[in-house]
Each structure stands twice: as C-alpha cells, then as structure tokens.
Amino acid sequence: MITTPINIACQQLDITQRAARFYEEKGLISSVRMWSGRTYTREQYNRLAIIGRCRRAGLPLADIPAALAVYEGSETNFHVKRAMIGKLEKQLDRLVAQIDALKCEIAHLESL
C-alpha cells in the first residue's frame, strides 16, 4: 500500500496539518498510523484534495460530505449534484459582491 505522509500531503494540497487532523476528527478522512506518523492512502489523499477545494471555494463543513459523495461518484442523483452546484453558485455570488464592495472602498480611499 502506497501512502503519503501528512506533511507531504498537506504541503502538496496547501492544507495545514491541523486542518487535516480536524477533518479526520470529523470523520471526513482517515489516516494510517505508521512509525513516522499519520499517512494517507491514495483514496484518502484524494478525499483531502476534494475537501481542500471545497473549503477554498467557501463551502461550509456541513456540505462537504455531500460534495465528497458527488466527487467520488457514490451519489449520482441529479438533484444532489444540482444542489451542490447551486451552493457553489451562491458562494460565487457572495464573493463577487464582496469584490465589488472592496473595489468601491478602494475607489473611495483613492479619491481622498
């Protein structure tokens, strides 16, 4: 079984080791304990990558199990996929609004 140590996985995926341990505590991933510490199988590494993408997209932790199911193909229900897309679109709308507000604030400060 090929595994990736936690420090390497986290570095490659731009996730902190603390976050990885938190996701493990929440049951989203699991690790294999070796003499060198936590390591991840390829499957768990991929789950960690999906979690990282979801978190960077701003999805709350409560939505991650559904996202994992969609990405891993265990959930093929159109309505579940559509709901995940809808959540991502709402997050995108929030971020665009935040960017617009920041641009307005920058313009205001530059006009002073």
Side-chain angles (χ1 to χ4, degrees), residues 27-59:
L28 297 171
I29 59 170
S30 61
S31 64
V32 177
R33 304 297 172 111
M34 300 192 124
W35 63 271
S36 59
R38 283 182 168 89
T39 61
Y40 299 107
T41 63
R42 181 42 111 192
E43 176 186 348
Q44 296 305 307
Y45 179 94
N46 291 339
R47 287 176 68 87
L48 189 57
I50 292 165
I51 293 166
R53 285 197 307 270
C54 289
R55 296 299 287 157
R56 281 188 288 283
L59 282 180

Short mmCIF file of all heavy atoms in Angstrom, two decimals, residues 27-59:
data_model
loop_
_atom_site.label_atom_id
_atom_site.label_comp_id
_atom_site.label_asym_id
_atom_site.label_seq_id
_atom_site.Cartn_x
_atom_site.Cartn_y
_atom_site.Cartn_z
N GLY A 27 -14.39 12.79 10.81
CA GLY A 27 -14.74 11.59 10.07
C GLY A 27 -14.76 11.74 8.56
O GLY A 27 -15.27 10.87 7.86
N LEU A 28 -14.21 12.84 8.06
CA LEU A 28 -14.21 13.07 6.61
C LEU A 28 -13.09 12.30 5.90
O LEU A 28 -13.22 11.97 4.73
CB LEU A 28 -14.08 14.56 6.31
CG LEU A 28 -15.23 15.42 6.82
CD1 LEU A 28 -14.91 16.89 6.67
CD2 LEU A 28 -16.52 15.06 6.10
N ILE A 29 -12.00 12.06 6.62
CA ILE A 29 -10.88 11.28 6.08
C ILE A 29 -10.38 10.37 7.19
O ILE A 29 -10.75 10.52 8.35
CB ILE A 29 -9.72 12.17 5.58
CG1 ILE A 29 -9.19 13.06 6.71
CG2 ILE A 29 -10.12 12.97 4.36
CD1 ILE A 29 -7.91 13.79 6.38
N SER A 30 -9.54 9.44 6.82
CA SER A 30 -8.88 8.60 7.82
C SER A 30 -7.41 8.47 7.42
O SER A 30 -7.06 8.65 6.26
CB SER A 30 -9.54 7.23 7.92
OG SER A 30 -9.45 6.55 6.68
N SER A 31 -6.60 8.18 8.40
CA SER A 31 -5.17 8.04 8.12
C SER A 31 -4.72 6.66 8.58
O SER A 31 -5.40 5.97 9.34
CB SER A 31 -4.37 9.12 8.85
OG SER A 31 -4.50 8.98 10.25
N VAL A 32 -3.56 6.29 8.08
CA VAL A 32 -2.90 5.07 8.51
C VAL A 32 -1.76 5.52 9.41
O VAL A 32 -0.98 6.39 9.04
CB VAL A 32 -2.35 4.28 7.29
CG1 VAL A 32 -1.60 3.05 7.73
CG2 VAL A 32 -3.49 3.94 6.34
N ARG A 33 -1.70 4.94 10.59
CA ARG A 33 -0.62 5.31 11.51
C ARG A 33 0.60 4.43 11.24
O ARG A 33 0.52 3.22 11.25
CB ARG A 33 -1.05 5.15 12.97
CG ARG A 33 -2.29 5.90 13.35
CD ARG A 33 -2.08 7.40 13.20
NE ARG A 33 -3.33 8.10 13.38
CZ ARG A 33 -3.60 8.88 14.41
NH1 ARG A 33 -2.72 9.07 15.35
NH2 ARG A 33 -4.76 9.48 14.47
N MET A 34 1.71 5.09 10.97
CA MET A 34 2.97 4.38 10.77
C MET A 34 3.96 4.94 11.78
O MET A 34 3.67 5.94 12.44
CB MET A 34 3.47 4.56 9.34
CG MET A 34 2.51 4.04 8.29
SD MET A 34 3.28 3.98 6.69
CE MET A 34 3.05 2.27 6.31
N TRP A 35 5.09 4.34 11.86
CA TRP A 35 6.08 4.79 12.83
C TRP A 35 6.43 6.26 12.64
O TRP A 35 6.76 6.96 13.57
CB TRP A 35 7.33 3.92 12.78
CG TRP A 35 8.04 3.98 11.46
CD1 TRP A 35 7.81 3.19 10.38
CD2 TRP A 35 9.06 4.90 11.07
NE1 TRP A 35 8.62 3.55 9.34
CE2 TRP A 35 9.41 4.61 9.73
CE3 TRP A 35 9.71 5.94 11.71
CZ2 TRP A 35 10.38 5.31 9.04
CZ3 TRP A 35 10.69 6.64 11.02
CH2 TRP A 35 11.01 6.32 9.70
N SER A 36 6.29 6.75 11.40
CA SER A 36 6.63 8.15 11.13
C SER A 36 5.46 9.10 11.36
O SER A 36 5.59 10.29 11.19
CB SER A 36 7.12 8.28 9.68
OG SER A 36 6.11 7.84 8.79
N GLY A 37 4.29 8.56 11.74
CA GLY A 37 3.14 9.41 11.99
C GLY A 37 1.99 9.10 11.04
O GLY A 37 1.93 8.02 10.45
N ARG A 38 1.11 10.06 10.88
CA ARG A 38 -0.06 9.87 10.01
C ARG A 38 0.37 9.83 8.55
O ARG A 38 1.17 10.64 8.10
CB ARG A 38 -1.02 11.04 10.17
CG ARG A 38 -1.86 11.03 11.39
CD ARG A 38 -2.80 12.25 11.35
NE ARG A 38 -3.82 12.18 12.34
CZ ARG A 38 -3.72 12.65 13.57
NH1 ARG A 38 -2.61 13.24 13.96
NH2 ARG A 38 -4.73 12.54 14.42
N THR A 39 -0.23 8.90 7.83
CA THR A 39 -0.05 8.84 6.39
C THR A 39 -1.41 8.59 5.75
O THR A 39 -2.34 8.12 6.41
CB THR A 39 0.93 7.72 5.96
OG1 THR A 39 0.41 6.47 6.38
CG2 THR A 39 2.31 7.92 6.55
N TYR A 40 -1.53 8.94 4.48
CA TYR A 40 -2.80 8.81 3.77
C TYR A 40 -2.64 7.90 2.57
O TYR A 40 -1.67 8.01 1.82
CB TYR A 40 -3.30 10.18 3.30
CG TYR A 40 -3.54 11.13 4.45
CD1 TYR A 40 -2.68 12.18 4.70
CD2 TYR A 40 -4.61 10.93 5.30
CE1 TYR A 40 -2.89 13.03 5.77
CE2 TYR A 40 -4.83 11.78 6.38
CZ TYR A 40 -3.97 12.82 6.61
OH TYR A 40 -4.18 13.65 7.67
N THR A 41 -3.63 7.00 2.41
CA THR A 41 -3.68 6.19 1.20
C THR A 41 -4.03 7.12 0.04
O THR A 41 -4.44 8.27 0.24
CB THR A 41 -4.74 5.09 1.31
OG1 THR A 41 -6.02 5.72 1.44
CG2 THR A 41 -4.47 4.17 2.49
N ARG A 42 -3.93 6.62 -1.18
CA ARG A 42 -4.28 7.42 -2.36
C ARG A 42 -5.73 7.89 -2.27
O ARG A 42 -6.05 9.03 -2.58
CB ARG A 42 -4.03 6.59 -3.62
CG ARG A 42 -4.32 7.31 -4.92
CD ARG A 42 -3.85 8.72 -4.91
NE ARG A 42 -2.74 8.99 -5.78
CZ ARG A 42 -2.07 10.13 -5.70
NH1 ARG A 42 -2.38 11.03 -4.80
NH2 ARG A 42 -1.10 10.39 -6.52
N GLU A 43 -6.62 7.00 -1.84
CA GLU A 43 -8.05 7.36 -1.71
C GLU A 43 -8.25 8.50 -0.71
O GLU A 43 -8.97 9.45 -0.98
CB GLU A 43 -8.85 6.14 -1.28
CG GLU A 43 -10.31 6.43 -1.03
CD GLU A 43 -11.07 5.25 -0.45
OE1 GLU A 43 -10.54 4.13 -0.43
OE2 GLU A 43 -12.21 5.46 -0.01
N GLN A 44 -7.59 8.40 0.44
CA GLN A 44 -7.74 9.44 1.46
C GLN A 44 -7.07 10.74 1.04
O GLN A 44 -7.56 11.83 1.33
CB GLN A 44 -7.20 8.95 2.81
CG GLN A 44 -7.98 7.77 3.37
CD GLN A 44 -9.46 8.07 3.49
OE1 GLN A 44 -9.87 9.06 4.10
NE2 GLN A 44 -10.28 7.20 2.92
N TYR A 45 -5.96 10.64 0.32
CA TYR A 45 -5.28 11.81 -0.23
C TYR A 45 -6.24 12.55 -1.17
O TYR A 45 -6.37 13.77 -1.12
CB TYR A 45 -4.01 11.38 -0.96
CG TYR A 45 -3.23 12.51 -1.59
CD1 TYR A 45 -2.18 13.11 -0.91
CD2 TYR A 45 -3.52 12.96 -2.88
CE1 TYR A 45 -1.44 14.14 -1.49
CE2 TYR A 45 -2.80 13.98 -3.46
CZ TYR A 45 -1.76 14.56 -2.77
OH TYR A 45 -1.05 15.59 -3.33
N ASN A 46 -6.91 11.78 -2.04
CA ASN A 46 -7.87 12.39 -2.97
C ASN A 46 -9.03 13.04 -2.23
O ASN A 46 -9.49 14.11 -2.61
CB ASN A 46 -8.37 11.35 -3.97
CG ASN A 46 -7.30 10.92 -4.94
OD1 ASN A 46 -6.31 11.62 -5.15
ND2 ASN A 46 -7.47 9.75 -5.53
N ARG A 47 -9.52 12.40 -1.17
CA ARG A 47 -10.60 12.99 -0.37
C ARG A 47 -10.12 14.30 0.26
O ARG A 47 -10.85 15.29 0.28
CB ARG A 47 -11.05 12.03 0.74
CG ARG A 47 -11.86 10.86 0.22
CD ARG A 47 -12.21 9.88 1.34
NE ARG A 47 -13.13 10.42 2.32
CZ ARG A 47 -14.46 10.38 2.22
NH1 ARG A 47 -15.02 9.79 1.17
NH2 ARG A 47 -15.22 10.90 3.16
N LEU A 48 -8.89 14.32 0.76
CA LEU A 48 -8.34 15.54 1.35
C LEU A 48 -8.23 16.64 0.30
O LEU A 48 -8.51 17.81 0.59
CB LEU A 48 -6.97 15.24 1.97
CG LEU A 48 -6.33 16.33 2.82
CD1 LEU A 48 -7.24 16.75 3.97
CD2 LEU A 48 -5.00 15.84 3.37
N ALA A 49 -7.87 16.28 -0.92
CA ALA A 49 -7.79 17.27 -2.01
C ALA A 49 -9.17 17.85 -2.30
O ALA A 49 -9.32 19.07 -2.49
CB ALA A 49 -7.21 16.62 -3.27
N ILE A 50 -10.20 17.01 -2.33
CA ILE A 50 -11.56 17.48 -2.56
C ILE A 50 -12.01 18.40 -1.44
O ILE A 50 -12.58 19.47 -1.68
CB ILE A 50 -12.52 16.28 -2.71
CG1 ILE A 50 -12.20 15.51 -4.00
CG2 ILE A 50 -13.98 16.74 -2.68
CD1 ILE A 50 -12.83 14.13 -4.05
N ILE A 51 -11.72 18.01 -0.21
CA ILE A 51 -12.08 18.85 0.94
C ILE A 51 -11.41 20.20 0.84
O ILE A 51 -12.03 21.24 1.06
CB ILE A 51 -11.71 18.14 2.27
CG1 ILE A 51 -12.58 16.89 2.46
CG2 ILE A 51 -11.86 19.10 3.44
CD1 ILE A 51 -12.08 15.96 3.55
N GLY A 52 -10.13 20.20 0.48
CA GLY A 52 -9.41 21.46 0.33
C GLY A 52 -10.03 22.36 -0.72
O GLY A 52 -10.19 23.56 -0.52
N ARG A 53 -10.40 21.77 -1.87
CA ARG A 53 -11.05 22.57 -2.91
C ARG A 53 -12.38 23.13 -2.43
O ARG A 53 -12.70 24.29 -2.70
CB ARG A 53 -11.25 21.72 -4.18
CG ARG A 53 -9.98 21.50 -4.96
CD ARG A 53 -10.24 21.04 -6.39
NE ARG A 53 -11.09 19.88 -6.49
CZ ARG A 53 -10.68 18.61 -6.49
NH1 ARG A 53 -9.40 18.35 -6.35
NH2 ARG A 53 -11.53 17.63 -6.63
N CYS A 54 -13.14 22.31 -1.74
CA CYS A 54 -14.44 22.77 -1.23
C CYS A 54 -14.27 23.90 -0.22
O CYS A 54 -15.00 24.90 -0.25
CB CYS A 54 -15.19 21.61 -0.59
SG CYS A 54 -15.80 20.38 -1.76
N ARG A 55 -13.32 23.76 0.67
CA ARG A 55 -13.11 24.79 1.69
C ARG A 55 -12.62 26.09 1.05
O ARG A 55 -13.04 27.18 1.42
CB ARG A 55 -12.13 24.31 2.76
CG ARG A 55 -12.64 23.12 3.56
CD ARG A 55 -13.91 23.40 4.33
NE ARG A 55 -13.58 24.26 5.44
CZ ARG A 55 -14.44 25.06 6.05
NH1 ARG A 55 -15.69 25.10 5.66
NH2 ARG A 55 -14.07 25.80 7.06
N ARG A 56 -11.70 25.99 0.07
CA ARG A 56 -11.23 27.19 -0.61
C ARG A 56 -12.35 27.87 -1.39
O ARG A 56 -12.34 29.08 -1.57
CB ARG A 56 -10.05 26.86 -1.53
CG ARG A 56 -8.73 26.71 -0.76
CD ARG A 56 -7.53 26.58 -1.69
NE ARG A 56 -7.46 25.30 -2.37
CZ ARG A 56 -7.05 24.16 -1.82
NH1 ARG A 56 -6.66 24.14 -0.56
NH2 ARG A 56 -7.01 23.05 -2.51
N ALA A 57 -13.32 27.07 -1.83
CA ALA A 57 -14.49 27.63 -2.52
C ALA A 57 -15.48 28.24 -1.53
O ALA A 57 -16.45 28.86 -1.94
CB ALA A 57 -15.18 26.55 -3.35
N GLY A 58 -15.23 28.05 -0.24
CA GLY A 58 -16.08 28.65 0.77
C GLY A 58 -17.24 27.79 1.23
O GLY A 58 -18.11 28.26 1.95
N LEU A 59 -17.25 26.51 0.86
CA LEU A 59 -18.34 25.64 1.31
C LEU A 59 -18.18 25.37 2.80
O LEU A 59 -17.08 25.10 3.28
CB LEU A 59 -18.32 24.30 0.57
CG LEU A 59 -18.88 24.29 -0.84
CD1 LEU A 59 -18.79 22.88 -1.41
CD2 LEU A 59 -20.31 24.77 -0.88
#
